[in-house]
Amino acid sequence: MKKKSNTARYTATELTAMRRTGVSRTNWQKLDAMSETELAASIAADPDDVHEDLDWTQAVKGIPERKLAIKLRIDAGIVRWFRASGKGYQTRMNNVLRAYVDSREKAEN
């Protein structure tokens, strides 16, 4: 069963009309009165806004290799530890194995 979303979607025209009629909860007068410097300072003060440069050193170019479904016996404690880290634990297990293989391949060369 698909979860019901609480997200409301509006077109730019609908948003403009809402702003004109005062339906929007945004204080547009205050926003319009802000200078560019004040706006930049407000954005910089937002703790949820990340101001760091993106780190592309771990980026991988191309399509990921196809995965195989196999039966694999792993110690219960290992599985428990990865599962405790939340959703995507199998991907994290794959990443650990990939890092090991990559390190071995570098050691061989």
Side-chain angles (χ1 to χ4, degrees):
M1 185 166 129
K2 190 175 180 181
K3 272 175 114 175
K4 186 176 179 181
S5 173
N6 293 332
T7 304
R9 299 179 191 276
Y10 299 103
T11 65
T13 306
E14 290 171 326
L15 290 172
T16 303
M18 290 169 70
R19 182 178 179 185
R20 242 185 285 115
T21 59
V23 174
S24 173
R25 291 184 285 172
T26 300
N27 185 343
W28 291 105
Q29 291 79 21
K30 180 180 177 183
L31 185 64
D32 290 339
M34 290 179 84
S35 69
E36 287 296 320
T37 306
E38 291 171 322
L39 183 59
S42 173
I43 293 169
D46 183 356
D48 295 328
D49 189 25
V50 179
H51 304 291
E52 301 168 1
D53 289 335
L54 295 175
D55 179 14
W56 292 99
T57 59
Q58 301 297 317
V60 178
K61 184 178 178 182
I63 298 171
E65 187 176 352
R66 182 173 76 92
K67 295 192 172 33
L68 299 176
I70 63 168
K71 182 174 180 177
L72 179 66
R73 298 179 65 80
I74 299 175
D75 293 344
I78 301 293
V79 175
R80 215 175 10 257
W81 188 87
F82 275 97
R83 279 187 177 159
S85 66
K87 187 176 178 180
Y89 75 93
Q90 289 176 326
T91 299
R92 283 188 290 282
M93 290 175 77
N94 186 74
N95 291 343
V96 169
L97 290 169
R98 167 60 48 209
Y100 178 82
V101 169
D102 289 347
S103 71
R104 296 292 111 204
E105 286 176 345
K106 283 181 185 176
E108 291 173 2
N109 293 331

